[in-house]
């Protein structure tokens, strides 16, 4: 008999809440990008040198643009020197010579507070991740992997915070944004795996395991991961085009995009076919819980494709950009959830002894 004791429930609740918070942060981050608020706070972790940002430019010194530019350039030079020493000469050179680091953004109270809210959400996630690690301690007696997955997530959040400071100091250097996005997806996967693994004793093995299906689900999740990163590259190109065109003539932006956009658009057709095939294989299992997950996956896929088409043919509406990104990450999350759940629901899953957490 399985005892659904308090430690099980407590860890599950905080884990799920943390995953939801990470998705919310991704949405807020998308809003930051779509509104051009990424440099709303020119320093990190403070904002204009204060824990509570200013509400009017009169609260800043007259030479604030030059002051914060010098601080960012100095930080970038130190980072470039370190990268050069450890063998990343090309990255160091790009960082050192990146022209955007010498461009400072005029104070805009709306953009400042949008970016500040983004940082506050990040701080809340840091607290939630810490609680996740704390509540995972009992698993050291039953399944150490749950604790170490939680601890790794906590370390990753810290690294993400540091990387966020680099994103700011480099004035949104493209490669840093892509890495930031990739690590956010890894964080979601780690947390989801930790939560499902912690509850694995409640999942009854009932499905005949299939290496083919397991491979297909993993391949679809990996392909979606790659597609999101390509989409991040497209988003970076959009930012460059918007900057060059001074934010005007949005209907011409798509025509100015490079190869990444066409790869992203074409790859979506292949992804659609892969999703349909994966759904067909899972529906054949006639498992109620897996079918529900696949239904959500297909709904998210249709919404993601629809938003992509609208963005491509209707001048990239700003309000759709964060939604397009958030739905893509939710899609990946559902796929990874299906992968984990399928493993534990299959009859060849490793059955652990039932242990009561005290």
């Amino acid at each position: 008999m399985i005892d659904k004791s308090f430690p099980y429930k407590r860890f599950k609740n905080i884990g799920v809440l943390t995953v939801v918070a990470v998705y919310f942060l991704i949405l807020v981050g998308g809003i930051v990008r779509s509104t051009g608020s990424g440099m709303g706070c020119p320093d990190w972790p403070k904002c204009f040198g204060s824990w509570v940002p200013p509400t009017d430019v009169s609260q800043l010194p007259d030479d604030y643009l030059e002051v914060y530019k010098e601080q960012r350039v100095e930080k970038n030079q130190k980072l470039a020197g370190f990268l050069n020493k450890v063998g990343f000469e090309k990255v160091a050179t790009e960082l050192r010579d990146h022209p955007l680091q010498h461009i400072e953004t005029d104070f805009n109270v709306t953009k400042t507070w949008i970016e500040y809210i983004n940082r506050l959400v990040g701080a809340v996630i840091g607290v939630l991740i810490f609680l996740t690690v704390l509540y995972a301690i009992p698993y050291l007696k039953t399944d150490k992997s749950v604790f170490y997955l939680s601890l790794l997530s906590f370390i990753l959040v810290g690294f993400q915070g540091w990387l966020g400071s680099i994103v700011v100091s480099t004035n949104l250097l493209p490669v840093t944004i892509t890495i930031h996005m990739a690590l956010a997806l890894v964080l979601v996967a780690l947390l989801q795996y930790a939560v499902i693994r912690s509850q694995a004793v409640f999942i009854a093995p009932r499905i005949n395991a299939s290496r083919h299906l397991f491979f297909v689900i993993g391949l679809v999740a990996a392909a979606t991961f790659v597609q999101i990163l390509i989409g991040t590259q497209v988003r970076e190109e959009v930012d460059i085009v918007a900057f060059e065109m001074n934010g005007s003539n949005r209907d011409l932006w798509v025509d100015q995009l490079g190869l990444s956009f066409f790869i992203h658009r074409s790859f979506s057709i292949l992804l659609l076919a892969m999703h349909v095939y994966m759904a067909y294989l899972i529906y054949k299992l006639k498992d109620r819980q897996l079918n529900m997950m696949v239904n959500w996956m297909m709904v998210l896929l249709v919404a993601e494709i629809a938003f992509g088409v609208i963005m491509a043919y209707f001048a990239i509406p700003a309000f759709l950009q964060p939604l397009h990104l958030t739905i893509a990450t939710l899609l990946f999350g559902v796929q990874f959830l299906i992968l984990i759940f399928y493993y534990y629901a299959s009859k060849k899953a490793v059955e652990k002894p039932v242990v009561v957490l005290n």
Side-chain angles (χ1 to χ4, degrees):
M1 181 177 179
I2 296 174
D3 179 8
K4 296 185 179 181
S5 56
F6 176 67
Y8 277 109
K9 295 178 182 179
R10 182 176 64 178
F11 181 80
K12 177 185 176 182
N13 291 339
I14 192 65
V16 171
L17 179 61
T18 304
V19 171
V20 172
V22 172
Y23 280 122
F24 181 68
L25 179 61
I26 291 173
L27 173 62
V28 174
I31 294 174
V32 169
R33 292 291 304 281
S34 65
T35 57
S37 304
M39 292 303 295
C41 295
D43 49 341
W44 191 96
K46 294 184 178 181
C47 185
F48 286 103
S50 174
W51 291 113
V52 179
T55 55
D56 190 86
V57 69
S58 62
Q59 297 173 261
L60 299 172
D62 294 335
D63 61 343
Y64 74 92
L65 291 175
E66 191 63 30
V67 168
Y68 289 110
K69 184 184 77 172
E70 290 177 358
Q71 291 179 1
R72 289 193 296 104
V73 171
E74 181 180 358
K75 184 175 182 178
N76 292 345
Q77 296 304 316
K78 290 181 179 179
L79 178 60
F82 170 76
L83 292 173
N84 192 67
K85 288 180 180 179
V86 296
F88 294 96
E89 293 87 355
K90 184 177 180 180
V91 177
T93 300
E94 182 178 358
L95 178 62
R96 189 181 292 111
D97 300 335
H98 187 51
L100 291 183
Q101 70 171 310
H102 300 288
I103 299 176
E104 195 56 68
T105 305
D106 290 330
F107 174 79
N108 180 298
V109 64
T110 301
K111 293 182 178 181
T112 292
W113 278 88
I114 289 176
E115 169 59 15
Y116 185 65
I117 291 172
N118 178 48
R119 296 185 184 188
L120 286 180
V121 175
V124 170
I125 288 177
V127 174
L128 291 176
I129 291 283
F130 176 76
L131 291 176
T132 302
V133 176
L134 190 65
Y135 294 164
I137 291 177
Y139 284 93
L140 284 171
K141 298 180 180 179
T142 58
D143 187 354
K144 292 182 180 180
S145 294
V146 173
F147 173 79
Y148 289 120
L149 284 167
S150 303
L151 181 61
L152 182 57
S153 299
F154 180 73
I155 295 172
L156 184 56
V157 166
F159 181 78
Q160 278 283 71
W162 172 81
L163 186 59
S165 73
I166 300 302
V167 171
V168 172
S169 70
T170 58
N171 205 339
L172 313 181
L173 182 67
V175 66
T176 60
I177 297 173
T178 301
I179 296 174
H180 206 45
M181 184 71 255
L183 292 180
L185 296 176
V186 171
L187 177 61
V188 166
L190 285 173
L191 288 170
Q192 288 189 161
Y193 182 41
V195 171
I196 295 298
R197 185 177 179 115
S198 73
Q199 308 297 307
V201 293
F202 307 129
I203 304 175
R206 58 188 180 274
I207 301 170
N208 290 324
S210 167
R211 288 185 178 181
H212 175 68
L213 178 53
F214 192 80
F215 173 77
V216 169
I217 300 172
L219 181 63
V220 171
T224 301
F225 185 94
V226 172
Q227 177 74 330
I228 292 173
L229 295 189
I230 297 174
T232 303
Q233 299 288 330
V234 174
R235 186 68 184 82
E236 291 164 0
E237 290 184 4
V238 170
D239 289 344
I240 293 173
V241 171
F243 177 78
E244 292 176 346
M245 302 185 73
N246 200 26
S248 60
N249 300 316
R250 294 183 71 97
D251 55 318
L252 301 178
W253 289 6
V254 172
D255 295 333
Q256 305 301 315
L257 299 178
L259 183 61
S260 295
F261 169 73
F262 297 100
I263 294 176
H264 186 65
R265 184 174 62 181
S266 301
F267 193 44
S268 63
I269 300 173
L270 176 60
L271 266 179
L272 174 61
M274 293 171 67
H275 278 80
V276 170
Y277 180 60
M278 171 183 158
Y280 165 73
L281 293 177
I282 293 179
Y283 283 142
K284 286 175 62 179
L285 299 176
K286 297 180 180 179
D287 183 86
R288 184 180 62 84
Q289 289 178 294
L290 281 173
N291 284 356
M292 182 177 64
M293 294 179 195
V294 172
N295 289 341
W296 276 110
M297 181 187 75
M298 296 307 291
V299 168
L300 290 170
L301 178 65
V302 171
E304 180 71 358
I305 293 175
F307 286 171
V309 170
I310 294 173
M311 290 175 65
Y313 291 97
F314 293 92
I316 317 180
F319 75 94
L320 277 186
Q321 292 173 348
L323 290 177
H324 189 60
L325 173 63
T326 305
I327 290 178
T329 56
L330 283 170
L331 182 61
F332 169 78
V334 171
Q335 293 161 356
F336 196 77
L337 187 64
I338 292 172
L339 182 69
I340 305 167
F341 190 87
Y342 173 74
Y343 170 74
Y344 283 111
S346 66
K347 293 179 180 178
K348 286 188 178 181
V350 178
E351 295 187 41
K352 297 183 179 296
V354 176
V355 180
V356 178
L357 291 178
N358 295 317

